[in-house]
Amino acid sequence: MKFTVLTLFPEIPRAFFETSIMAKAVEKGIIAYDLVNIRDFAFDNHRTCDDKPYGGGAGQLLMAEPLGRALDSVKAYKKHVIYVTPSGKPFTQKKAQELSRKDEIVLVCGRYEGIDQRIIDLYVDDEISIGDYVMSSGELAATVIVDSVYRLVDNVITPESLDEESYSGGLLEYPQYTRPAVYKGLEVPDILTGGNHELIRKWRLKKRLEKTLANRPDLVVKARLTGELSSEAEKMIEELTEHVSLKHDRKRRGK
């Protein structure tokens, strides 16, 4: 799989591609990348890539011509082009899985007030937002997408490591522990050191449900609607919600 990133600041994503698991994936030939500096396609000696927007308003906008020439140079019309923008569709794990099956992805990094709409109309297949907030760096947002996608490509990470991550099966991940067995008076749960794999599996499922109900109850609702929850999980939810109701009832009564 190949990632092509169009940016005014290639040094920002370069650091990501040259470190940790990504660097190993590149070395093995599983992942390839190209960083394209949009300024190389500007017309003037100052390598100008931005200008004031028509109609007035604050800020600068990336101009269509340099960005269009950069996209043409990588034959973007043959590839899947993503523009990262706060006004895009929310990025999800499902979307990351979908993108991981592409042969090549081109990411356009906006700056300032964004990019000329005509580039979006002519080149962009997906407008993606990584959250309901605004950043000054499209490069950081693009790197978030790359990081979420490349790890799902075959042979980058062992499949077992992906099976019970947050959002797999519609739930958040269970809590995990490593050495030492006791840290500042807090012990690792006995069930994790007992060696009974079936009990460990049930404990982990219960903890995933507890965490999802507490932090993202909307995910439980969605998992129910899509049929992702097993009958075992549904039974655990009933037990958990009943326990919480009893606890609140006792608290109201002052017991």
Side-chain angles (χ1 to χ4, degrees):
M1 182 180 198
K2 183 176 180 180
F3 295 96
T4 300
V5 183
L6 275 62
T7 169
L8 294 176
F9 301 96
E11 61 272 16
I12 297 176
R14 180 176 289 113
F16 172 75
F17 282 104
E18 294 180 353
T19 56
S20 191
I21 299 173
M22 173 59 90
K24 293 177 182 177
V26 171
E27 184 179 350
K28 292 177 181 177
I30 303 171
I31 301 295
Y33 72 96
D34 187 16
L35 304 178
V36 178
N37 192 333
I38 301 167
R39 293 192 188 280
D40 292 341
F41 298 89
F43 290 97
D44 64 344
N45 292 333
H46 298 289
R47 303 171 79 193
T48 304
C49 289
D50 59 287
D51 204 346
K52 295 178 181 179
Y54 280 117
Q60 299 284 100
L61 200 66
L62 288 188
M63 300 161 63
E65 290 175 315
L67 186 48
R69 292 175 70 193
L71 285 160
D72 289 340
S73 76
V74 299
K75 296 181 171 59
Y77 54 88
K78 294 183 177 180
K79 299 159 187 176
H80 192 80
V81 180
I82 297 172
Y83 171 45
V84 287
T85 168
S87 60
K89 293 180 181 178
F91 187 56
T92 63
Q93 187 68 13
K94 182 179 179 181
K95 187 64 177 180
Q97 290 167 343
E98 175 191 321
L99 293 174
S100 71
R101 295 188 284 272
K102 302 287 185 184
D103 291 327
E104 183 167 354
I105 293 173
V106 176
L107 295 111
V108 178
C109 302
R111 276 272 167 171
Y112 318 119
E113 295 302 309
I115 68 176
D116 191 297
Q117 179 64 36
R118 290 167 292 187
I119 292 296
I120 299 172
D121 296 340
L122 292 169
Y123 293 92
V124 173
D125 299 299
D126 266 330
E127 292 181 77
I128 294 179
S129 167
I130 63 167
D132 295 341
Y133 50 88
V134 178
M135 303 170 64
S136 61
S137 173
E139 290 76 18
L140 294 179
T143 302
V144 167
I145 294 172
V146 172
D147 188 50
S148 299
V149 171
Y150 94 97
R151 61 194 304 281
L152 300 175
V153 175
D154 290 344
N155 300 317
V156 172
I157 295 177
T158 56
E160 293 80 8
S161 297
L162 303 174
D163 286 343
E164 294 184 341
E165 289 187 319
S166 290
Y167 305 108
S168 64
L171 302 174
L172 301 181
E173 193 172 11
Y174 50 79
Q176 299 198 59
Y177 302 83
T178 187
R179 294 182 293 178
V182 181
Y183 174 69
K184 294 189 176 181
L186 298 177
E187 298 182 7
V188 173
D190 291 338
I191 199 165
L192 297 179
T193 59
N196 188 318
H197 295 291
E198 178 59 14
L199 289 179
I200 291 173
R201 183 193 67 78
K202 290 183 177 180
W203 180 88
R204 285 175 169 170
L205 175 57
K206 182 179 179 181
K207 291 299 180 181
R208 293 188 76 191
L209 290 165
E210 283 181 349
K211 191 163 191 176
T212 309
L213 285 167
N215 294 351
R216 291 291 305 275
D218 59 299
L219 293 179
V220 175
V221 174
K222 184 177 179 181
R224 279 176 160 167
L225 291 173
T226 57
E228 290 183 271
L229 290 184
S230 64
S231 57
E232 180 184 31
E234 290 284 8
K235 185 177 180 180
M236 285 185 179
I237 288 175
E238 289 180 15
E239 294 171 353
L240 288 168
T241 51
E242 183 179 349
H243 175 73
V244 171
S245 296
L246 287 172
K247 185 177 179 181
H248 287 170
D249 187 53
R250 288 171 182 166
K251 187 174 181 180
R252 283 197 303 270
R253 295 180 183 183
K255 295 181 179 181

